[in-house]
Amino acid sequence: MNALAQIDAPAIDVTPDGSDYETVRRVIEMITLDYRDQPSLEAIAAELDQSPTQLQKVFTRWAGLSPKAFLQAVTLDHAKRLLGKEGLPLLETSYELGLSGPGRLHDLFVTHEAMSPGEWKARGEGLTIRYGFHPSPFGIALVMATDRGLAGLAFADQGGEKPCFEDMARRWPNANFVEDREDTAHYIRRIFDRSKWSAEQPLNVVLIGSDFQIRVWQSLLKIPFGKAVTYSDVARDIGQPSASRAVGAAIGRNPLSFVVPCHRALGKSGALTGYHWGLTRKRAILGWEAGNA
DNA sequence: GGAATCATGTGAT
DNA sequence: ATCACATGATTCC
């Protein structure tokens, strides 16, 4: 492999400015918004000022699934299937199954270290966090990293960079933030390219959060690609079966969207109950995983 | 079926 | 202390 191929080998074929996701986002939004009178592909295309065939092509290239198949992939029915089959025993078994080394995870090769309680209480004091915005398959991504590894990954829609940054920065109010797109670009290339999730070069991640939050996030990391669990599954997995609601709150504060797969947590009914970066994005990620499993 | 209600653990104020 | 939650089970219409 030559150096050039290494630089631009995106896992997902996206337009450089991320406008593909913007198109996809609006399609998903339109379909799910008024699913009662399921708009036809023609109607959606007309709304977006595109030809149906063009739209179909863009969408399929992005998701690996036709719009129709995609929609089926994010229905209740399908979600239940994700939960059902190996859903329940999954969390218990994957410990022995996938955890060959300390902190090495099943499907995503991530080494994670948690901050000590003292460091957590300092709210980022003395920590330098480098950040940068980059186009991603799911909109504009905000990457935050310390020299110990990736600390945050957030999504924003076009124009929403500022509130997005503030939302993230609030989590570690005492940290020192420096913009460094060059450094963070290195992360973004690997995060969305599955071929770079390997045992040889695991992604280094720092979990900054309370003890309870970290236990919840670690549990999330055990969910394989394209599978899903319920909030109560996670509660059981961390040994506090009645804390499903607290688990929901902790998942909601996950600073590492996508890397820590909080999108794979669903309500018991299979319904997508919430997502910090918008339900549409949760659908998009879930559907994309369905098309790339 | 769905609205209302309750038990519940955690973290922020 | 009190409050808001990305829950889930139960109990009413």
Side-chain angles (χ1 to χ4, degrees):
Chain A
M1 179 193 285
N2 63 39
L4 203 69
Q6 199 149 13
I7 289 170
D8 36 30
I12 312 162
D13 197 5
V14 266
T15 44
D17 61 354
S19 65
D20 270 7
Y21 174 73
E22 181 60 17
T23 302
V24 169
R25 202 206 91 225
R26 292 181 62 188
V27 172
I28 302 168
E29 206 169 58
M30 282 182 64
I31 298 177
T32 52
L33 220 58
D34 35 23
Y35 58 95
R36 28 193 106 235
D37 44 49
Q38 298 254 322
S40 67
L41 185 64
E42 283 82 15
I44 297 166
E47 188 76 24
L48 298 187
D49 258 342
Q50 297 192 23
S51 77
T53 45
Q54 173 68 9
L55 189 61
Q56 164 95 248
K57 218 171 95 188
V58 169
F59 194 98
T60 308
R61 174 159 48 85
W62 181 88
L65 241 42
S66 72
K68 190 179 166 101
F70 179 93
L71 211 53
Q72 282 163 357
V74 288
T75 56
L76 261 190
D77 206 44
H78 185 260
K80 281 186 193 150
R81 226 175 1 255
L82 290 186
L83 296 171
K85 286 216 158 140
E86 309 141 73
L88 289 198
L90 180 145
L91 279 176
E92 286 84 4
T93 54
S94 60
Y95 248 141
E96 306 107 87
L97 209 96
L99 226 54
S100 41
R104 255 252 303 275
L105 275 317
H106 179 72
D107 116 275
L108 189 52
F109 284 93
V110 173
T111 61
H112 60 277
E113 57 182 297
M115 302 226 111
S116 69
E119 285 174 301
W120 158 240
K121 275 198 227 96
R123 315 265 285 156
E125 179 77 53
L127 208 60
T128 295
I129 297 181
R130 297 182 300 283
Y131 71 92
F133 288 96
H134 303 273
S136 90
F138 304 104
I140 301 161
L142 169 59
V143 178
M144 288 185 163
T146 72
D147 41 11
R148 287 157 74 180
L150 185 69
L153 178 64
F155 290 114
D157 288 323
Q158 285 175 27
E161 288 92 342
K162 195 169 173 214
C164 175
F165 175 80
E166 280 161 6
D167 172 59
M168 292 302 288
R170 238 196 330 271
R171 297 160 194 250
W172 312 295
N174 298 329
N176 176 30
F177 292 95
V178 244
E179 181 158 23
D180 187 347
R181 294 196 70 238
E182 206 172 321
D183 181 72
T184 52
H186 162 77
Y187 281 103
I188 210 89
R189 273 195 295 273
R190 295 187 47 196
I191 291 168
F192 296 106
D193 185 348
R194 288 201 75 203
S195 68
K196 293 207 170 63
W197 299 353
S198 71
E200 294 79 49
Q201 283 193 298
L203 191 64
N204 262 18
V205 160
V206 226
L207 265 22
I208 311 177
S210 72
D211 178 62
F212 181 82
Q213 287 172 337
I214 285 169
R215 268 164 35 231
V216 168
W217 299 338
Q218 286 175 343
S219 181
L220 251 26
L221 279 169
K222 293 189 281 179
I223 311 169
F225 191 91
K227 287 275 162 44
V229 296
T230 67
Y231 295 96
S232 52
D233 287 339
V234 176
R236 186 153 28 80
D237 184 58
I238 63 169
Q240 290 171 250
S242 63
S244 54
R245 190 171 187 170
V247 163
I251 292 178
R253 275 180 223 117
N254 165 36
L256 282 162
S257 64
F258 191 76
V259 175
V260 173
C262 56
H263 54 277
R264 295 182 197 146
L266 312 176
K268 194 142 217 166
S269 67
L272 279 61
T273 40
Y275 195 62
H276 189 77
W277 289 280
L279 279 181
T280 302
R281 204 175 321 262
K282 189 171 184 173
R283 276 191 200 91
I285 297 175
L286 250 15
W288 175 81
E289 288 195 350
N292 290 270

